[in-house]
Amino acid sequence: MNKENNPDFALFSEQFGGIKPLNQDKHHFKQSVKSKQQVEVKEQQVYADSYFSDNYQPILPVEGPMRWLNDNVDKIEPKRLRRGDYQPDLLLDLHGMRQAEAKLELAALLQACVKQRVLCCCVMHGYGSGILKQQLPMWLAQHPKVSAFHQAPKEWGADAALLVLVDIDDNTKG
């Protein structure tokens, strides 16, 4: 059917003949640009969630100082941590943090250790109600880059802190 012979088209053209189309100059569904800080926080959350589960229960000592050793690490390493043979290059203070915040900070610390090639770090959880003191060893035992940890010597916080030995691959470039 031809447009000129169609009475509906003629009526439509008569009614809307002088109207000009609007220019579409805005994108209403454009994604907002996220700041670098927002992207980094999201990456840390994903990183922390991928390694740390609150349900995992590693075999940890009931008596004596808190300590743990990865299966493929020399058995002398926790003793060296206890004696203070390793000096921590990075410190993390978790005082006053909630579990979710502490988990993100711990993930960021371990990422920083690997990136900066830091062999030993200290995580201070404090005394408080004991929630972080209880959760921290469970989180550390799950991370693949943690070789061992031991209750810190007195000069680094004693039983309110842990010294963590981080596995630094020579193949990894930071």
Side-chain angles (χ1 to χ4, degrees):
M1 187 173 234
N2 196 353
K3 290 182 182 179
E4 291 92 26
N5 297 340
N6 188 348
D8 290 334
F9 183 75
L11 183 62
F12 180 81
S13 296
E14 184 182 310
Q15 293 291 322
F16 295 101
I19 296 177
K20 295 180 183 176
L22 295 174
N23 291 332
Q24 183 68 22
D25 59 349
K26 295 186 180 180
H27 299 274
H28 295 286
F29 301 107
K30 184 178 179 182
Q31 294 214 359
S32 62
V33 178
K34 295 181 181 177
S35 70
K36 186 176 180 181
Q37 184 181 12
Q38 288 174 323
V39 171
E40 286 176 355
V41 167
K42 186 65 177 172
E43 284 177 359
Q44 286 178 352
Q45 287 174 338
V46 168
Y47 184 77
D49 291 341
S50 65
Y51 283 118
F52 306 134
S53 167
D54 292 330
N55 298 326
Y56 178 71
Q57 297 287 327
I59 299 172
L60 296 171
V62 180
E63 296 176 0
M66 180 54 63
R67 62 202 177 278
W68 178 82
L69 177 69
N70 200 339
D71 293 335
N72 57 356
V73 178
D74 192 8
K75 300 209 183 306
I76 193 87
E77 295 301 331
K79 186 175 183 179
R80 293 178 69 198
L81 282 169
R82 179 180 51 93
R83 286 190 317 216
D85 291 352
Y86 293 106
Q87 296 295 314
D89 293 324
L90 294 177
L91 305 171
L92 175 63
D93 189 356
L94 299 177
H95 285 93
M97 290 190 189
R98 294 187 173 102
Q99 275 189 356
E101 296 167 334
K103 195 186 293 188
L104 288 177
E105 290 298 320
L106 182 63
L109 172 74
L110 294 172
Q111 270 184 321
C113 285
V114 171
K115 187 174 183 178
Q116 298 174 19
R117 305 189 59 73
V118 171
L119 190 61
C120 183
C121 62
C122 181
V123 182
M124 295 169 274
H125 49 74
Y127 294 104
S129 61
I131 293 172
L132 289 180
K133 185 175 185 171
Q134 182 182 19
Q135 285 298 120
L136 187 63
M138 293 180 197
W139 293 335
L140 286 171
Q142 295 174 52
H143 199 282
K145 290 293 183 182
V146 174
S147 299
F149 60 82
H150 198 284
Q151 177 182 311
K154 199 171 213 169
E155 64 268 16
W156 293 107
D159 59 340
L162 291 174
L163 284 184
V164 181
L165 191 62
V166 182
D167 179 27
I168 304 297
D169 281 342
D170 292 330
N171 301 332
T172 322
K173 295 180 181 171

